RNA sequence: GCGCCGUUAGCUCAAUUGGCAGAGCAGGGGCCUUUUAAGCCCAAGGUUACAGGUUCGAUUCCUGUACGGCGCACCA
């Protein structure tokens, strides 16, 4: 494995000493009559004279040796329980066995009876105990105390890199980390409940795709050996879900992983979880309504209220949300009327005149996009729907009948973050082919970010697709919102980090 | 990809203008029969991320590499 350090060698010695005494430090079967919480509950419920016996299992999180008695805390998935060892009751041999061979972090099985200490803590008076899993490596040291009912942690395991690389240790010593992922699970459950109750069909579509599409993003490429075929990890599910709409599935959703071969940041991970839904006979205004209901529903399921706090700001998620056209919003936030600037050079000049950074090579749509990100997005703390986007950055969204350069698309923002992207879907195969061609021209040949022409998708549309509204939402960012986290790494169990280079050839696997 | 900052004991952190690298916790040896960040005494613990350079002398100054954090760019 690796060279054990001094602390680990001492623990290995303790493990061997147990083995020499005939004990298995890693038995496969254990007894458990009560969780920690159940043991406390059973004692509280019992009559005064009644003895409550319990066998509990868990990890030793603290040890206080006081000569002929020892206090320790055992932690399981539900909480902590204090253990009390008394030499008079256990005998010299058992007492020595504990103090000499058991360390912080070890898993222990302890049986005894419940009682209340002088200071009032419900405690297990240990009669028998044994090792059920020895921890060779010490957990990151952290101590905690209660001050006015608040948990105060000292010397917490807090280095972000170490926490993400060793999430197991992070979870073992930082209980609030597990709460984030419990909330994430509850959020996913709430999303499914919402759509299931409305008759949506949950589906799974291919992750390995022969042609990627549905988003302007660089894909990961892989290869199928037997078929001699390059495949792409999906950047979106969009085109597959709309094929299902063609097939008569009128309401459909998928929750799954997307992969984008792009930068890593506090709000970007190369693989991230996405929710997309499509609904026949809905347009983007219907999707706006559903979006408001969805987020409010999730908030109530998670917290019992539609008010949340994010980054110190109180946010009210109950409908109706503020709705503004993108044009109005940019006039307000940037002081630029995009209708006045109908081409890239005019818009670029307007931005420069206001001292807003602008890439001279960018298209009009990309400039508008950067205006959104730079001037608008950070101001949208309360939920806001921004609608009617420029056509050239929306290759799958249907144009407005009254303005072909503007599409029926909206994005919702909460807490200064883009939460979702939605539109009335293009359902004319001719229009869609035209858009693919426009996108193809906008990028150099071979540019992986361009939308490749998906002939099979056009074939599907040519069978006829009803008017359809579609919606995509990043689940990681939604989790950030509901757990008040400012980095995506805190809501992904194993966020992507660069691999540690192993220095020196002597470390090679043997 | 670019910029700024960081990396010191198992964990959390110190170290004055360059002068023997320290503390708390954890760990080891003692004392202590109701403690809870238990307490008290003793001893130990380090290739200061890595590789070079400047210097009598480098944790400290310089260069490079690795990894991370933050910001920018890209994007969801």
């Amino acid at each position: 494995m690796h060279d054990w350090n001094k602390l680990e060698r001492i623990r290995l010695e303790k493990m061997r000493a147990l083995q020499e005494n005939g004990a298995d430090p890693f038995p496969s079967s254990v007894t458990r009559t009560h969780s920690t919480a159940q043991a406390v509950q059973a004692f509280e419920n019992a009559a005064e004279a009644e003895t409550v016996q319990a066998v509990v299992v868990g990890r030793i999180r603290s040890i206080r040796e006081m000569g002929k008695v020892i206090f320790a805390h055992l932690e399981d998935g539900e909480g902590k329980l204090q253990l009390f060892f008394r030499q008079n009751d256990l005998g010299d041999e058992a007492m020595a066995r504990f103090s000499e061979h058991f360390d912080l972090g070890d898993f222990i099985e302890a049986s005894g009876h419940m009682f209340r200490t002088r200071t009032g803590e419900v405690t297990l008076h240990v009669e028998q105990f044994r090792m059920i899993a020895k921890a060779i490596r010490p957990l990151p040291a952290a101590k905690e105390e209660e001050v006015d009912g608040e948990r105060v942690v000292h010397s917490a395991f807090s280095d972000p890199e170490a926490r993400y690389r060793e999430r197991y240790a992070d979870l073992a010593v930082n209980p609030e980390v597990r709460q984030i992922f419990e909330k994430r699970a509850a959020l996913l459950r709430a999303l499914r409940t919402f759509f299931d109750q409305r008759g949506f069909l949950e589906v799974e579509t291919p992750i390995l795709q022969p042609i990627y599409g549905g988003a302007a993003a660089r894909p990961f490429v892989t290869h199928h050996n037997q078929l001699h075929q390059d495949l792409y990890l999906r950047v979106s599910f969009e085109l597959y879900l709309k094929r299902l709409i063609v097939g008569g599935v009128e309401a459909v959703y998928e929750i799954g992983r997307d992969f984008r071969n792009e930068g890593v940041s506090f709000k970007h991970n190369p693989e991230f979880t996405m929710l997309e839904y499509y609904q026949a006979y809905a347009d983007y205004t219907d999707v706006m309504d559903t979006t408001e209901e969805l987020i409010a529903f999730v908030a109530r399921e998670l917290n019992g209220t539609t008010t949340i706090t994010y980054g110190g700001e109180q946010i009210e998620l109950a409908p109706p949300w503020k709705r503004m056209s993108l044009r109005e919003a940019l006039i307000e936030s940037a002081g630029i009327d995009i209708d006045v600037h109908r081409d890239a050079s005019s818009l670029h000049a307007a931005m420069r005149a206001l001292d807003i950074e602008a890439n001279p090579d960018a298209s009009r749509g990309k400039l508008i996009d950067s205006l959104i990100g730079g001037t608008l997005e950070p101001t949208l703390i309360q939920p806001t729907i921004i609608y009617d986007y420029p056509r050239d950055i929306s290759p799958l969204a249907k144009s407005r009948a009254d303005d072909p350069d503007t599409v029926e698309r909206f994005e919702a923002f909460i807490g200064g973050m883009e939460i979702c992207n939605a539109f009335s879907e293009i359902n004319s195969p001719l229009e869609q082919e035209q858009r693919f061609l426009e996108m193809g021209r906008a990028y150099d040949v071979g540019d992986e970010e361009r939308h490749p022409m998906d002939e099979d998708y056009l074939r599907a549309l040519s069978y006829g697709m009803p008017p359809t509204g579609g919606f995509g939402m990043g689940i990681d960012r939604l989790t950030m919102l509901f757990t008040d986290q400012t980095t995506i790494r805190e809501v992904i169990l194993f966020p992507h980090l660069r691999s540690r280079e192993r220095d020196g050839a002597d470390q090679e696997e043997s």
Side-chain angles (χ1 to χ4, degrees):
Chain A
M1 277 168 96
H2 75 114
D3 294 331
W4 301 103
N5 69 30
K6 268 154 273 170
L7 298 176
E8 291 160 349
R9 282 198 294 269
I10 288 165
R11 285 169 175 246
L12 280 170
E13 273 316 305
K14 294 177 177 180
M15 183 193 81
R16 291 193 183 108
L18 281 172
Q19 286 171 316
E20 278 162 22
N21 291 340
D24 179 0
F26 296 98
S28 47
S29 302
V30 303
T31 306
R32 177 193 224 179
T33 62
H34 296 72
S35 69
T36 53
Q38 287 166 344
V40 173
Q41 196 58 49
F43 179 77
E44 303 281 12
N45 292 346
E48 197 133 328
E50 192 180 339
T51 303
V52 175
Q53 290 288 137
V55 186
V56 295
V57 291
R59 199 195 272 279
I60 300 172
R61 290 306 310 278
S62 65
I63 300 175
R64 293 175 294 284
E65 287 207 46
M66 315 201 44
K68 305 285 190 293
V69 296
I70 300 171
F71 289 93
H73 270 102
L74 168 153
E75 183 177 53
D76 65 9
E78 291 180 7
K80 287 183 183 170
L81 177 65
Q82 183 166 255
L83 305 180
F84 178 63
F85 301 78
R86 189 154 170 263
Q87 190 152 347
N88 286 10
D89 305 317
L90 280 165
D92 297 355
E93 184 275 329
M95 203 67 178
R97 186 158 51 87
F98 182 82
S99 67
E100 286 172 20
H101 303 319
F102 285 63
D103 290 299
L104 295 181
D106 292 348
F107 285 88
I108 186 174
E109 174 193 280
S111 64
H113 60 274
M114 305 297 296
F115 77 112
R116 196 184 295 274
T117 64
R118 248 176 233 171
T119 54
E121 181 164 349
V122 176
T123 299
L124 181 77
H125 192 130
V126 176
E127 293 158 10
Q128 286 184 338
F129 64 90
R130 64 172 177 141
M131 182 76 72
I132 58 174
K134 181 71 186 170
I136 308 301
R137 193 179 172 88
L139 284 170
K143 289 211 156 194
E144 54 188 63
E145 63 176 325
E146 280 207 2
V147 179
D148 303 328
E150 291 285 300
R151 202 172 129 264
V152 179
V153 181
H154 302 272
S155 307
F157 181 49
S158 59
D159 177 58
E161 181 183 358
R163 286 182 48 235
Y164 303 144
R165 286 194 193 280
E166 301 196 14
R167 186 66 96 178
Y168 32 87
D170 187 28
L171 285 161
V173 301
N174 292 323
E176 66 280 5
V177 174
R178 201 177 71 190
Q179 285 165 14
I180 288 174
F181 294 99
E182 285 168 352
K183 201 146 211 181
R184 184 181 171 122
L187 186 149
L188 286 167
R189 218 156 36 234
L191 293 169
R192 287 197 163 94
T193 302
F194 181 88
F195 287 107
D196 293 346
Q197 284 177 351
R198 282 167 174 70
F200 281 74
L201 181 70
E202 180 174 8
V203 298
E204 295 177 281
T205 62
I207 289 173
L208 290 175
Q209 302 180 346
I211 299 175
Y212 59 95
R218 294 174 64 187
F220 288 95
V221 188
T222 185
H223 186 78
H224 193 294
N225 292 336
Q226 191 72 44
L227 301 178
H228 305 296
Q229 181 186 16
D230 279 341
L231 292 167
Y232 302 92
L233 273 63
R234 65 181 175 194
V235 298
S236 127
F237 342 138
E238 175 149 5
L239 300 183
Y240 279 93
L241 292 181
K242 284 191 282 191
R243 284 172 168 94
L244 300 177
I245 298 282
V246 170
V249 183
E250 291 186 354
V252 65
Y253 76 101
E254 178 165 5
I255 294 173
R257 213 66 69 83
D258 277 343
F259 306 84
R260 298 192 183 173
N261 206 336
E262 281 159 1
V264 176
S265 81
F266 72 98
K267 49 173 152 169
H268 299 268
N269 196 60
E271 53 182 295
F272 63 100
T273 301
M274 188 80 166
L275 160 72
E276 289 191 26
Y277 90 78
Y278 293 84
Q279 185 167 25
Y281 313 115
D283 68 7
Y284 77 143
T285 64
D286 298 313
V287 178
M288 289 179 199
D289 296 340
T290 303
T291 301
E292 294 179 350
E293 289 165 26
L294 171 67
I295 299 299
F297 175 84
V298 166
R300 270 186 238 106
E301 289 288 299
L302 286 185
N303 303 326
T305 168
T306 52
T307 309
I308 59 167
T309 302
Y310 185 72
E313 302 267 7
Q314 278 244 324
I315 297 177
E316 178 51 59
L317 298 173
W321 296 355
K322 189 175 182 184
R323 298 185 186 187
M324 298 172 87
S325 74
L326 180 57
R327 173 173 174 251
E328 294 171 317
L330 287 178
I331 288 171
E332 204 170 276
S333 76
I336 291 177
D337 183 347
I338 53 174
D339 276 6
V340 171
H341 304 286
R342 306 297 298 192
D343 58 64
S345 60
S346 164
L347 181 57
H348 182 259
M351 289 169 71
R352 295 312 296 246
L354 290 169
D355 227 23
I356 299 168
E357 214 175 308
N359 177 357
D361 301 325
S363 69
R364 176 171 179 271
K366 290 246 173 188
L367 288 172
I368 291 173
D369 222 21
S370 74
L371 267 181
I372 297 170
T375 70
L376 180 59
E377 187 170 9
T379 69
L380 301 177
I381 305 301
Q382 297 301 319
T384 309
I385 284 171
I386 303 293
Y387 59 87
D388 288 354
Y389 275 63
R391 168 190 167 116
D392 69 309
I393 51 170
S394 313
L396 300 160
K398 187 179 270 187
S399 292
R400 286 181 62 97
D402 59 353
D403 177 5
D405 287 337
T406 300
V407 295
E408 295 187 5
R409 171 181 171 191
F410 76 87
E411 294 183 316
F413 297 84
I414 305 175
M417 279 193 297
E418 184 197 326
I419 289 299
C420 70
N421 179 25
F423 34 87
S424 303
E425 306 293 335
I426 294 175
N427 57 343
S428 156
L430 306 176
E431 168 74 6
Q432 186 62 72
E433 180 175 35
Q434 182 59 34
R435 296 293 198 88
F436 278 145
L437 290 171
E438 283 172 24
M439 287 304 285
R441 274 200 298 277
Y443 293 91
D444 294 334
V445 175
D447 185 333
E448 288 179 319
E449 247 180 72
R450 84 189 209 289
H451 267 62
M453 178 76 74
D454 188 334
E455 297 284 358
D456 182 73
Y457 178 65
L458 294 175
R459 177 198 303 269
L461 289 187
S462 68
Y463 279 108
M465 182 170 91
T468 297
F471 167 95
M473 178 167 72
I475 300 305
D476 309 285
R477 289 188 187 172
L478 195 67
T479 308
M480 288 167 66
L481 195 66
F482 280 111
T483 57
D484 198 11
Q485 295 298 317
T486 54
T487 161
I488 199 167
R489 296 182 197 94
E490 291 293 349
V491 301
I492 292 176
L493 276 169
F494 300 98
H496 181 79
L497 298 178
R498 204 182 295 259
S499 299
R500 261 275 155 70
E501 191 180 86
R502 309 181 96 199
D503 37 359
D506 55 323
Q507 296 244 341
E508 273 174 47
E509 299 283 335
S510 51

